[in-house]
Structure formats: structure tokens, C-alpha cells
Amino acid sequence: MISARTLTMALTVAVTPVAAGAQSMSPMRGEVNSFTDVFAVRVFPANPYDRKIKVEIHVYDQDFQPVDARISPSVFQLGSQASRPVLVVVPFGGATERKVRICTESIPFPNQQTQIRAQICGKFFGHRKS
Amino acid sequence: MKLFRTAAAAVLLVCIDQAAFATTQNVIFNGTITATCTLVIATNGTMTASADLQSLSSHNSGGSAGTVTLTTTGGVSLSVDPVTTTTVPAADVTATTWTPTYSSSGAHTITETGSATAISTPGADLVSVHLAGTKGGSNRFASGNYQATVTLRCE
């Protein structure tokens, strides 16, 4: 119950952009104020290809080390020209502010000799208010 | 006289009505575009071996770069990550140094580099992604299938 309340409070101050088509991820910048020990960001990965692709969402710190964030969903299939919301809840980890990168990653053409992974990263800044 | 007065009143009313229709109102439209970036992979790359078997590269004869279209509003940065995911034949037991690079043509001209490039203006580009594997000393690439993944990042 407490967890649900925490999440709800965090969501009330989350970035809530309007989804846009034909972009790999929006928004790519955001600043979030939260009164709890987590902050939430909603991002919208999009598939600009004319075929379904597998998309993964990862959260990194400023040094590109993985951050233990809750990502819903973290891996999914995205249809052609489609976009969907992904909720990312990032813990402050005892700090009063935290900068993270939320990255949308995909390898649209796997099983080739030299594969290219496209990674679109947004930078988000969470402030913990007391 | 009564008729004249009636006619004058009617003309006055028409004028008043016309004045009312002549007013204008501005309709304001607002739009905000935040920094965005789209990467669309067109082709993956191909690496070929050099004659001395110490280079496996998309720069070598017969090799080809991977191509990616980039569309951005500007205010972003383009970079490649060090290669961490590779598959090599079992016969290849020696170390390989992998060097990813990229270049760009179009709205932004970027000469081939492995470093991050800030893109401040909007536009569309064709990004060429190269990968070169090299072996030092007496080490050589072995026969078999090699596979590597290059991460192209826009942030």
C-alpha cells in the first residue's frame, strides 16, 4: 500500500509529454520534482521502421553504469510506426537529486556480421523535495 | 418626412451592423518541440580481411560501412560505444582490438571519428558506421564467422 502510494505521488510530478510519432524516443530531456524517495518518468519509444522491432529500455547513470530502476515494460515488441508509453521509476538512493539516462535500444537487423544497435538516450534530472 | 426618417434609421442600423462585423480577433497557436533524435538503420556493415590477415575491417576491399539515417532537431550528441559484444571462431584465441568509427554527410558533415560529436542545428544526415578489428605482433585472424555489434548513440 505504501509502495503504491509512493508510486502515485511520484507519478503526480512525473514528466508527462505528449506522444509523438516517428521518433525513437520522446521526450529526451526532463526535470522532475518528487516528494518521495523515487521519481517517475514516462517516455514514449517509437518504431520508425516499416516492420516490427524488439525494443529494450535501459536506465544508466552519468557514467553509463546501470541503474536499478523499475521499468514497465523493459522489453517489448513494437509494431511499425507505433509508439507506446513506458514508465520508469528511479530511486534517489538517499541523494537529494539524481541524473539518469533513459535509453531506448534496438537491433533492427540482427544476425548480421556487423550489427548496429541504435540507442536513443534521454537525460533526466530528478529533484527530491522535502 | 416620416418615410425619410425611417429610411435614415435603417441606414444607420446597417452601418452599425457593418461596424460590428468588421471587428477581428487573433487566434494564437503555440507549439513546442523538445530535442529529438531518430536513428533508422538502413544497412548493416560488412568486414573483410586484409591480405596479411591482421585486419578485419569495413574499410578493407570488399567491406562496407553500415548506414544509418539521422534526423534531429539539434541539441543532441552523436557517438559510438566501445565494442563489447563479439563472436569469433573457436580457432581465434588471440586478442583483437576493435575500433568503431562513424562519419556523416548531409545537414551536418562529420569527418570519420570515434569521439562524440555535438549536433546543434536541425537536419537529416546519412551516417556511415565503420568497424575495424586489428591484431598485433604475429597474431592473425582465423577462418570462420565473426560478428560484432556497434552501438550508435544519439542523446
Side-chain angles (χ1 to χ4, degrees):
Chain A
M1 181 63 189
I2 291 174
S3 175
R5 199 182 312 149
T6 302
L7 181 59
T8 305
M9 288 180 69
L11 282 175
T12 58
V13 291
V15 175
T16 52
V18 176
Q23 295 176 4
S24 290
M25 191 180 82
S26 67
M28 289 183 68
R29 303 285 184 269
E31 208 162 328
V32 181
N33 292 322
S34 174
F35 292 93
T36 72
D37 55 358
V38 299
F39 67 97
V41 177
R42 180 173 285 127
V43 295
F44 292 82
N47 174 10
Y49 298 93
D50 58 2
R51 56 193 286 271
K52 184 172 69 176
I53 61 170
K54 179 184 176 187
V55 174
E56 296 183 12
I57 307 297
H58 295 274
V59 181
Y60 303 100
D61 65 12
Q62 288 181 282
D63 301 316
F64 270 100
Q65 297 303 308
V67 169
D68 187 22
R70 276 181 284 159
I71 307 166
S72 308
S74 59
V75 181
F76 52 92
Q77 297 281 339
L78 198 54
S80 171
Q81 306 296 328
S83 175
R84 66 152 298 162
V86 173
L87 179 64
V88 179
V89 180
V90 182
F92 280 104
T96 55
E97 56 186 32
R98 190 165 198 186
K99 290 180 179 177
V100 295
R101 287 179 169 92
I102 299 174
C103 299
T104 296
E105 302 178 6
S106 65
I107 302 177
F109 304 106
N111 304 319
Q112 305 285 314
Q113 186 197 39
T114 306
Q115 301 175 141
I116 299 175
R117 174 188 289 120
Q119 188 183 58
I120 308 291
C121 295
K123 296 178 180 177
F124 299 91
F125 196 179
H127 302 275
R128 184 175 185 178
K129 302 291 185 181
S130 54
Chain B
M1 183 60 187
K2 191 177 179 184
L3 182 64
F4 176 76
R5 209 182 302 149
T6 305
V11 168
L12 185 62
L13 272 174
V14 168
C15 289
I16 290 169
D17 277 351
Q18 282 178 343
F21 279 121
T23 59
T24 59
Q25 287 291 327
N26 292 328
V27 179
I28 309 298
F29 289 83
N30 293 306
T32 303
I33 301 175
T34 58
T36 59
C37 189
T38 302
L39 293 176
V40 179
I41 297 170
T43 59
N44 284 304
T46 305
M47 297 182 291
T48 55
S50 61
D52 65 2
L53 298 178
Q54 287 199 300
S55 166
L56 181 66
S57 171
S58 55
H59 283 296
N60 291 338
S61 176
S64 62
T67 55
V68 181
T69 57
L70 160 71
T71 310
T72 181
T73 56
V76 298
S77 173
L78 190 67
S79 60
V80 285
D81 263 0
V83 172
T84 55
T85 307
T86 58
T87 303
V88 302
D92 186 342
V93 293
T94 58
T96 303
T97 301
W98 296 100
T99 307
T101 55
Y102 66 95
S103 60
S104 168
S105 60
H108 313 93
T109 300
I110 303 171
T111 54
E112 190 170 343
T113 180
S115 304
T117 304
I119 298 175
S120 57
T121 55
D125 298 279
L126 183 65
V127 180
S128 297
V129 179
H130 283 280
L131 181 62
T134 55
K135 288 187 181 294
S138 59
N139 297 333
R140 296 290 186 274
F141 283 97
S143 64
N145 295 324
Y146 287 82
Q147 188 182 69
T149 302
V150 176
T151 299
L152 179 67
R153 177 184 306 123
C154 186
E155 67 171 337

